[in-house]
Amino acid sequence: MDALAADLEAAGFTVAAVEALWERGAAAESTHPGAALRRGHRVPALRALEHVPAAERALATLVRCFVLGVPVASVDLEAALPALGTRRAIGLGMVRADGDQVAPAMDLRPYAFADAAGDGAWWIASDPGELVTGGPLPEEYVLGVGGASMTLSGLLLQRRAGTTFDLGTGCGIQAMHASRFSERVIASDVSARALRFARLNVRLNRIDGVEFRLGSLFEPLGDEQVDRIASNPPFVITPRERDVPAYEYRDGGMVGDAIVEAVVCGVGEHLAPGGVAQLLGNWEYRRADEDLDDGLERAAAWAAAAGLEYWIVERERQDPSEYAETWIRDGGTRPGTPAFERLHDAWLEDFAARGVESVGFGYLLLRRPAAGTAPGLARAERLHGPLGDVVGGLAAHLEACLAASDVVGSLDDDGLRALRVAVADDVTEERHHWPGAEQPTVILLRQGGGFGRVVDAGTGLAALVGAADGELPLGVLVDAIAELLEADRDELWDELAMAVRELVAGGMLRPVAD
């Protein structure tokens, strides 16, 4: 592994270097290879590698073999990996010998990120994707860094923790991120193959303090409690039929959204007091006769039943057909084929059996109350619009919002009146007028970062936010606004108090310490 790392470093196998190859290819042919790759087409990328300078031939060989999944000449791989050598690359399971060529048996690519600890760069190994398999993926497939895993890593709180548990580690990416802020990480998976990849990635990137355990859900923890839990669980809702592929990386083997419910319930038992869990999940909206069982409310009920505080954000909602199409295609089965239509029918039949009208997807942040305290935080909201301008993920925003929620959640009415707040730097105001009208018909407060919230504010709330500079207590500001608007002070306070709590919890107003 040390030899492999040395070779990758010497070849300059980095995100920036690969992107530079694509940029030069785009300049030469007016086709961007990177964009084509994201659409699942590698021909422009292969063309971009045809005429690289001698100094970049090792890099081009690595990209061709391990990113694009194309066989390369054995002598070229030997030149690209001089310390490791082709024989040991075969022994590691990276390639297979095929005459005077080697064929990739592994996807290996650079990965770059930034967090509170600074910039980071790793190499991530996983199973080859659809470009290599040319069809449906094997059920034991180990996924690399996908969109969902990047979403979760960007959400993970970046405060120091004792022990973090990564449930369903896959290729190990969440455990690796957690290691930057944890004294110890326990990474588990039901797939022995996934754990082999995760061990490889941790070792290749010289990361210490990660322990691997084989098992389902919370079995690997036994009775142990941890300070932090991170999980991108196998939440994809899959028909429980023999001829429907059950991919280990995404299918938890339960009916409907039961796997997410099971994870939430387990969190309540295995988090230490004050501990935080963060995960992604799906929840079903089910209709029985004329009643709709609200999926987001069901997810909140799971957390409440487990005795947890929660902040659940639904980011998307799909109808059954759209959901089925997304995940059938994700497994490598192409639309328009008989196999796709058979699977599509199985998915819709499964949803119909439970009366599923739609499926929600989002983020769950769960916290076990500190010893001797009752649950306080309880937020479940739908934020389906685009995110704000988020650099490095939502983690810092979540951290600030949690702290602010704890402040306002502990205050009674008198305490809230005494609180001083300041408007966040990323909040702007937008006013709409009918032509010739003196007063606006709509006043919108827009959040530039975080979740990109948009709040329809009345005159009183807009005036309060405009005056919130942290100098005067809220009660004094509201009384002054009431006098200016010739409104009843108590009535205006009743109107604005709840709105202020929401703006603080959402990060648009921030408490100012004495």
Side-chain angles (χ1 to χ4, degrees), residues 244-330:
V244 175
Y247 296 109
E248 289 182 339
Y249 76 93
R250 72 182 202 192
D251 177 16
M254 298 184 184
V255 174
D257 52 21
I259 185 68
V260 181
E261 181 180 7
V263 173
V264 172
C265 291
V267 162
E269 299 175 8
H270 291 90
L271 267 184
V276 173
Q278 292 176 269
L279 58 142
L280 307 181
N282 278 162
W283 35 85
E284 293 182 337
Y285 288 77
R286 302 171 182 169
R287 185 170 295 282
D289 297 325
E290 297 300 318
D291 297 325
L292 179 65
D293 193 0
D294 187 286
L296 185 57
E297 291 180 2
R298 291 176 63 243
W302 301 334
L308 296 167
E309 298 179 307
Y310 60 87
W311 181 8
I312 305 175
V313 178
E314 182 179 275
R315 292 290 297 145
E316 185 179 2
R317 189 169 166 184
Q318 292 183 320
D319 66 50
S321 182
E322 183 182 10
Y323 185 90
E325 293 163 19
T326 297
W327 292 109
I328 296 170
R329 184 66 190 88
D330 178 79

Side-chain angles (χ1 to χ4, degrees), residues 108-294:
L108 178 65
R109 61 185 65 207
Y111 170 75
F113 61 94
D115 59 22
D119 294 336
W122 293 323
W123 301 290
I124 304 296
S126 63
D127 272 322
E130 185 187 343
L131 282 176
V132 177
T133 64
L137 302 173
E139 292 187 19
E140 67 276 12
Y141 176 76
V142 177
L143 181 68
V145 179
S149 57
M150 292 180 67
T151 294
L152 180 59
S153 65
L155 293 170
L156 296 182
L157 301 185
Q158 295 169 13
R159 66 177 82 155
R160 297 300 302 176
T163 299
T164 295
F165 178 50
D166 177 15
L167 187 161
T169 192
C171 70
I173 187 63
Q174 305 306 332
M176 295 166 70
H177 277 289
S179 72
R180 290 167 66 84
F181 303 96
S182 306
E183 296 175 10
R184 172 182 177 231
V185 177
I186 301 170
S188 76
D189 207 289
V190 72
S191 166
R193 182 177 181 82
L195 290 181
R196 287 197 296 272
F197 269 114
R199 286 191 183 97
L200 185 154
N201 287 324
V202 165
R203 179 65 181 82
L204 176 62
N205 292 287
R206 306 181 179 100
I207 295 173
D208 298 321
V210 181
E211 174 187 344
F212 297 97
R213 299 181 185 178
L214 180 68
S216 177
L217 294 176
F218 293 92
E219 290 174 0
L221 280 183
D223 296 329
E224 186 175 355
Q225 290 188 334
V226 297
D227 305 295
R228 196 77 52 80
I229 295 173
S231 181
N232 181 12
F235 58 75
V236 176
I237 299 167
T238 306
R240 305 262 70 85
E241 295 185 14
R242 183 178 304 174
D243 58 350
V244 175
Y247 296 109
E248 289 182 339
Y249 76 93
R250 72 182 202 192
D251 177 16
M254 298 184 184
V255 174
D257 52 21
I259 185 68
V260 181
E261 181 180 7
V263 173
V264 172
C265 291
V267 162
E269 299 175 8
H270 291 90
L271 267 184
V276 173
Q278 292 176 269
L279 58 142
L280 307 181
N282 278 162
W283 35 85
E284 293 182 337
Y285 288 77
R286 302 171 182 169
R287 185 170 295 282
D289 297 325
E290 297 300 318
D291 297 325
L292 179 65
D293 193 0
D294 187 286

